[in-house]
Amino acid sequence: MDIAADPTSLQQTLQGYRTAGQTVAFVPTMGNLHAGHLSLVHRAASLADRVVVSIFVNPMQFGPSEDLDAYPRTLEADLAQLKAAGVALVFTPQPEHIYPEGIDAHTKVSVPGLTTVLCGASRPGHFDGVTSVVCKLFNLVAPNVAVFGEKDLQQLLIIKKMVRDLALPVAIEGVATARADDGLALSSRNGYLTPEERAIAPGLRQTLTAMGAAISAGERNYNALCQAHSAQLENQGFKPDYLEIRCRSTLALATSDIRQLAIFAAAKLGKTRLIDNLQLDL
Ligand code: PAF
């Protein structure tokens, strides 16, 4: 497995793949890898000759009071997992490689509309940070296909729109959320949970499943459903940020005639912010 610590060495290794006529599948990550990331890597391996993974904790997508400094950095363990998974190349840039003149002086890529709701409303500027770095990584890696997790469904929809709008020559592939046995969506931030919080955490998924079952059984008063389940989350010890039923393509609040829905949830348990979603086809 090759490791490229800067864009120049990344380009040199990628040039070798292109000369050999090999296709590239790309998995961008912020490291602290778990089974969810490895499921993206495995999907990537089925889609192209070579898998390239980036590990970059992107400062542009963290708000001033968020966990940039505390975000877990576990490079050696990450590299061992990627090597075992058969990854060809890992890109491990530093912020100065991605933002040579600093974050504020850097060009931003901003997707309108989809970024203003859900996590975009609670985390202003977050998605501009995501699309700016993903667009730059796409330009550096020039992959044939890039793979993202459906746990961050809003992020996936935003990246698909960016790729459509800017005619970026890359296919985008979504992979179903990897979960612990008790249903909790795997996330690097789960490591922040205390044992007591970890025991409560699967309640988020259970709420989504119960809401999905109610909708499948004919419930269409989405507002009341969200309010009731939000109150239940609070009773369990969560501080809900949002619990909303939205159209899966436009992210508009769902009305009873929308067939492709997703229930989106974000809630804090102590200091840890958890997100999850459930996709429904009526
Ligand atoms: O989903 C993530 O881990 C990040 O948002 C991404 C796509 C790697 C961009 O920094």
Side-chain angles (χ1 to χ4, degrees):
M1 184 175 79
D2 285 310
I3 298 166
D6 60 68
T8 308
S9 47
L10 174 77
Q11 302 293 337
Q12 279 165 1
T13 308
L14 287 168
Q15 190 52 48
Y17 302 162
R18 284 185 202 113
T19 307
Q22 292 169 333
T23 55
V24 167
F26 177 46
V27 183
T29 80
M30 299 207 299
N32 192 235
L33 304 181
H34 50 66
H37 295 107
L38 296 179
S39 72
L40 306 185
V41 167
H42 290 133
R43 174 68 68 83
S46 73
L47 296 171
D49 300 315
R50 298 279 188 167
V51 177
V52 177
V53 174
S54 63
I55 298 179
F56 178 60
V57 182
N58 173 33
M60 201 196 273
Q61 70 188 72
F62 288 78
S65 58
E66 292 185 354
D67 56 343
L68 174 62
D69 293 336
Y71 199 85
R73 288 155 171 91
T74 51
L75 185 61
E76 289 313 312
D78 293 348
L79 293 175
Q81 292 192 74
L82 294 176
K83 189 171 180 189
V87 167
L89 171 61
V90 187
F91 181 41
T92 59
Q94 296 303 311
E96 56 270 28
H97 296 125
I98 302 295
Y99 306 116
E101 295 168 51
I103 291 177
D104 293 339
H106 200 274
T107 299
K108 288 197 174 62
V109 177
S110 185
V111 172
L114 299 178
T115 53
T116 58
V117 296
L118 303 168
C119 285
S122 331
R123 304 181 66 191
H126 166 68
F127 286 119
D128 287 356
V130 171
T131 45
S132 299
V133 80
V134 169
C135 188
K136 181 149 193 177
L137 290 168
F138 282 176
N139 286 331
L140 288 168
V141 176
N144 302 81
V145 58
V147 183
F148 294 84
E150 290 180 353
K151 181 173 91 64
D152 299 299
L153 185 59
Q154 186 179 13
Q155 168 174 281
L156 175 61
L157 296 174
I158 290 166
I159 286 167
K160 282 184 173 169
K161 178 166 166 58
M162 172 183 78
V163 164
R164 273 196 316 273
D165 287 357
L166 300 181
L168 299 178
V170 54
I172 303 297
E173 185 84 3
V175 174
T177 304
R179 298 183 180 279
D181 288 345
D182 58 12
L184 178 65
L186 298 187
S187 162
S188 300
R189 291 191 169 98
N190 291 351
Y192 298 153
L193 296 167
T194 64
E196 294 73 24
E197 290 163 352
R198 177 62 188 81
I200 298 169
L204 193 61
R205 169 69 174 172
Q206 286 154 13
T207 296
L208 293 174
T209 310
M211 292 175 72
I215 295 170
S216 297
E219 176 62 74
R220 292 292 177 271
N221 189 341
Y222 294 152
N223 207 12
L225 191 66
C226 290
Q227 278 183 17
H229 282 276
S230 197
Q232 283 181 25
L233 282 174
E234 277 186 55
N235 290 340
Q236 289 171 42
F238 290 93
K239 280 206 184 107
D241 177 1
Y242 57 75
L243 181 62
E244 294 177 8
I245 304 167
R246 290 186 175 261
C247 165
R248 218 158 69 215
S249 49
T250 64
L251 290 186
L253 280 173
T255 46
S256 55
D257 54 325
I258 303 285
R259 315 309 293 168
Q260 292 197 308
L261 306 173
I263 315 173
F264 293 89
K268 272 193 153 183
L269 259 184
K271 289 188 179 139
T272 311
R273 187 171 183 278
L274 302 176
I275 65 169
D276 203 346
N277 67 80
L278 181 78
Q279 302 185 46
L280 284 173
D281 290 291
L282 300 183

